[in-house]
């Protein structure tokens, strides 16, 4: 009877040990995945900041006006070049 109890306890002990090893393996795998996800999040945050900076730089009125003058040969509208449309007139 004592040998049978020892066998059952040994099997239970091995099963618990295997369960602990499996839990630690899963924990390490999840921790590595968490670290990778956090690293990717940091990289995306850096890219987002860079894109916001680029957008603020490219959207400045002075830069837009300079590009319009230089690349499109646009000039400011003067009152003598303005045409007014009057409703009902032909």
């Amino acid at each position: 009877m004592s040998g049978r109890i020892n066998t059952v306890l040994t099997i239970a002990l091995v099963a618990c040990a295997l369960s602990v090893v499996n839990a630690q393996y899963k924990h390490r795998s999840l921790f590595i995945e968490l670290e990778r996800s956090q690293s990717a999040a940091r990289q995306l945050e850096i890219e987002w900041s860079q894109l916001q900076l680029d957008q603020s730089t490219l959207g400045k009125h002075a830069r837009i006006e300079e590009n319009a003058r230089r690349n499109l040969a646009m000039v400011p509208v003067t009152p003598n070049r303005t045409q007014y449309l009057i409703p009902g007139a032909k």
Side-chain angles (χ1 to χ4, degrees), residues 58-77:
L58 294 175
K60 290 189 176 181
H61 295 292
R63 186 176 191 287
I64 293 171
E65 186 174 346
E66 176 194 345
N67 281 337
R69 287 177 191 265
R70 184 173 18 104
N71 297 337
L72 302 175
M74 297 176 96
V75 293
V77 176

Side-chain angles (χ1 to χ4, degrees), residues 8-27:
V8 170
L9 289 177
T10 303
I11 291 172
L13 180 65
V14 168
C16 288
L18 289 174
S19 174
V20 168
V21 168
N22 188 32
Q24 286 179 340
Y25 174 77
K26 285 182 181 179
H27 176 266

